[in-house]
Amino acid sequence: MTDVAFACDAMLGALARWLRLAGFDTAYDTGLDEAALGALARREGRWLLTCDRRLASAAGPRVVLLERVDLGAQVAELRRRLPLTVDPTRFFSRCSRCNGVLRAVDRRDVAGRVPPYVATHAAAFKVCTGCGRIYWPGTHAVRIARTLESLFGPETSP
């Protein structure tokens, strides 16, 4: 399953963020009630991820009821339950805030929208096609990449 899409309930915000960073299309909206979230998942063919037994029983067949609370344990449980194909080349391809697709842009396109030092020294830039947020490989990118590798890397495959 490479192009699998998810919808996370309100209790799974951290999981939604890390799934997005790993390149998975992941809907997450705390403003949606349970019925609307279930309808969104069905309408868009998404797997609904939840920790809520009542929501899981009412949402339909494409539901994963997660028993774990810890992020690492949730990802491991999800990978045991669904045959996910995790492609490291897709890491950092989605906006961690809105789920929009990130596209590469030239530094001239973002020069007035990032700090001057970043505009001069960052190696590359991406812009979210959804919310317009700008991303660049800052010092935190190495830490995030290590976390993604530990959560989704081949050595953690089920």
Side-chain angles (χ1 to χ4, degrees):
M1 282 186 181
T2 42
D3 291 330
V4 64
F6 300 108
C8 290
D9 75 13
M11 295 181 287
L12 298 174
L15 179 60
R17 179 174 178 259
W18 285 99
L19 285 168
R20 289 171 176 174
L21 286 167
F24 290 102
D25 180 356
T26 306
Y28 175 73
D29 183 347
T30 58
L32 294 179
D33 64 20
E34 291 179 356
L37 181 62
L40 171 89
R42 284 188 300 278
R43 181 176 64 251
E44 296 183 2
R46 296 175 179 276
W47 281 92
L48 177 61
L49 307 180
T50 184
C51 294
D52 183 332
R53 291 185 185 285
R54 187 180 48 154
L55 175 58
S57 64
R62 291 180 62 122
V63 176
V64 176
L65 176 63
L66 296 170
E67 304 288 334
R68 310 296 179 163
V69 178
D70 172 76
L71 174 66
Q74 287 174 339
V75 171
E77 183 178 359
L78 179 60
R79 293 185 72 193
R80 277 193 306 275
R81 309 260 313 274
L82 294 177
L84 298 180
T85 302
V86 181
D87 180 358
T89 65
R90 291 174 54 172
F91 287 179
F92 301 106
S93 63
R94 291 198 164 266
C95 180
S96 63
R97 285 195 182 163
C98 81
N99 194 42
V101 174
L102 301 182
R103 68 176 174 81
V105 295
D106 189 88
R107 77 178 60 255
R108 292 178 300 232
D109 297 332
V110 298
R113 299 172 54 200
V114 298
Y117 181 84
V118 171
T120 304
H121 293 92
F125 295 92
K126 292 182 179 181
V127 173
C128 175
T129 58
C131 68
R133 186 174 187 205
I134 302 167
Y135 290 84
W136 62 89
T139 56
H140 62 287
V142 172
R143 179 185 51 80
I144 293 171
R146 271 194 232 120
T147 301
L148 286 169
E149 198 56 44
S150 73
L151 291 172
F152 298 100
E155 66 277 359
T156 60
S157 293

